[in-house]
Amino acid sequence: MNTTKTAVHFTDNYLLNPTNPISVNLIGAGGTGSKVLTALMEINESLISLGHAGLQVRLWDDDVITSANLGIQRFAESETGLYKSVALINRCNRWAGTNWKAETVKFEKDNFGRLPEKSRATITITCVDNVQARFDVAEILKETSYRRHYQDEPRYWLDFGNSRDTGQVILSTIGEIKQPNSEKYETVESLPSIIDEFGELLKQSEQEDNTPSCSLAEALEHQDLFINSSLAQMGCSLLWNLFRKGMTEYKGFFHNLKDFRTQPIKVA
């Protein structure tokens, strides 16, 4: 008789019944980030309707909107020249009555090695387009986790990444999340980050061309029109299940839009 237990990760209790909205740092407001922000609005509205405190999002991006961003990214021609983070957050706040914040700087240490202000958040979501940015975020999260405060204690990191028509989403814990005793499941308190698990592969891919596109047509040569939105929807579904179900059997997935295949990554 097979008695192998299913490995699962139970959501940190603070996310399920918080006193205040859960703080979220969303890093990157481009093709994926702009669509993840829309999904976060939907999660926020749904959580509040269920009696939850909801989310408090801070969007980080120092880039401005150009004509190449129209179509793939969630921007209008009238927003050209504005900061991406400001345009998106203003739109969210007008639509949902939220008080979410925009940062027009990179999420990185300054020249003196100091952490960015407001870098602490319960959940960090990265939608960045280069490898070094992920390593920088990992270093900042590691450092902020050492500075123990109850409010905005870093607990989870959700990373989105893609190439032309493939991508992945990886959920990790920041430190160990205390798990309940369970006779039915094998509980897992620590989920490795994309750096811990795929750091060497990321370094090998660092040589890929990340030159900004000058037009939408050129941008479409670098990535498929719907790779960002399909990743955003599925990745935010993983986040939603952390809140709604209080547990997950999966810590992410690999996604191939070209042949419509998705391979889940199980908690282990």
Side-chain angles (χ1 to χ4, degrees):
M1 181 177 178
N2 187 2
T3 58
T4 303
K5 294 181 180 180
T6 301
V8 303
H9 173 79
F10 283 92
T11 309
D12 188 284
N13 284 334
Y14 179 69
L15 271 69
L16 302 179
N17 191 28
T19 304
N20 300 306
I22 298 293
S23 56
V24 178
N25 272 334
L26 174 56
I27 304 168
T32 303
S34 60
K35 296 174 175 70
V36 167
L37 185 66
T38 301
L40 290 177
M41 280 199 306
E42 295 168 351
I43 290 174
N44 180 60
E45 291 289 309
S46 300
L47 287 174
I48 291 172
S49 72
L50 295 169
H52 190 279
L55 308 177
Q56 178 61 39
V57 177
R58 186 176 296 270
L59 177 61
W60 299 74
D61 200 305
D62 68 335
D63 203 5
V64 297
I65 303 163
T66 68
S67 58
N69 303 141
L70 311 183
I72 286 182
Q73 302 181 23
R74 197 146 282 172
F75 301 111
E77 187 174 356
S78 60
E79 294 171 318
T80 302
L82 300 176
Y83 278 105
K84 292 180 178 179
S85 57
V86 172
L88 289 170
I89 288 296
N90 284 344
R91 198 187 308 161
C92 287
N93 289 340
R94 287 195 301 269
W95 184 83
T98 48
N99 188 29
W100 292 0
K101 305 297 182 182
E103 298 289 342
T104 57
V105 295
K106 283 186 164 81
F107 187 86
E108 63 183 8
K109 292 182 178 181
D110 65 18
N111 293 332
F112 299 99
R114 293 175 299 203
L115 297 174
E117 287 190 45
K118 311 296 183 183
S119 60
R120 292 181 64 85
T122 302
I123 300 171
T124 296
I125 302 174
T126 43
C127 304
V128 296
D129 57 6
N130 67 80
V131 171
Q132 186 56 49
R134 286 187 175 86
F135 280 90
D136 292 344
V137 169
E139 184 179 347
I140 290 172
L141 291 178
K142 186 175 182 180
E143 191 166 333
T144 56
S145 68
Y146 289 148
R147 304 181 182 187
R148 310 303 291 181
H149 302 281
Y150 182 73
Q151 186 176 10
D152 298 331
E153 192 73 39
R155 287 172 166 85
Y156 292 99
W157 176 13
L158 186 64
D159 178 75
F160 291 76
N162 71 279
S163 57
R164 189 184 187 282
D165 40 34
T166 63
Q168 74 285 327
V169 176
I170 304 294
L171 173 70
S172 58
T173 58
I174 302 170
E176 296 178 346
I177 305 296
K178 185 176 180 180
Q179 300 287 287
N181 295 325
S182 175
E183 295 183 0
K184 184 177 180 181
Y185 299 107
E186 176 190 346
T187 58
V188 178
E189 60 186 7
S190 179
L191 305 176
S193 73
I194 188 167
I195 301 300
D196 295 331
E197 202 158 11
F198 303 109
E200 290 305 314
L201 287 174
L202 287 174
K203 289 176 182 177
Q204 292 172 20
S205 68
E206 198 168 8
Q207 304 304 317
E208 291 183 8
D209 181 20
N210 287 316
T211 306
S213 303
C214 297
S215 68
L216 175 56
E218 187 176 342
L220 289 169
E221 292 298 318
H222 294 294
Q223 57 185 4
D224 186 82
L225 180 60
F226 291 109
I227 184 63
N228 302 121
S229 54
S230 58
L231 282 172
Q233 290 293 301
M234 295 179 66
C236 286
S237 178
L238 175 60
L239 180 62
W240 167 246
N241 284 332
L242 279 183
F243 288 105
R244 193 72 175 113
K245 295 182 179 178
M247 59 182 284
T248 180
E249 294 180 39
Y250 304 99
K251 60 181 181 180
F253 58 87
F254 296 104
H255 183 52
N256 188 324
L257 191 59
K258 187 175 183 179
D259 57 10
F260 304 103
R261 283 186 298 114
T262 300
Q263 178 62 47
I265 306 171
K266 287 208 163 195
V267 169

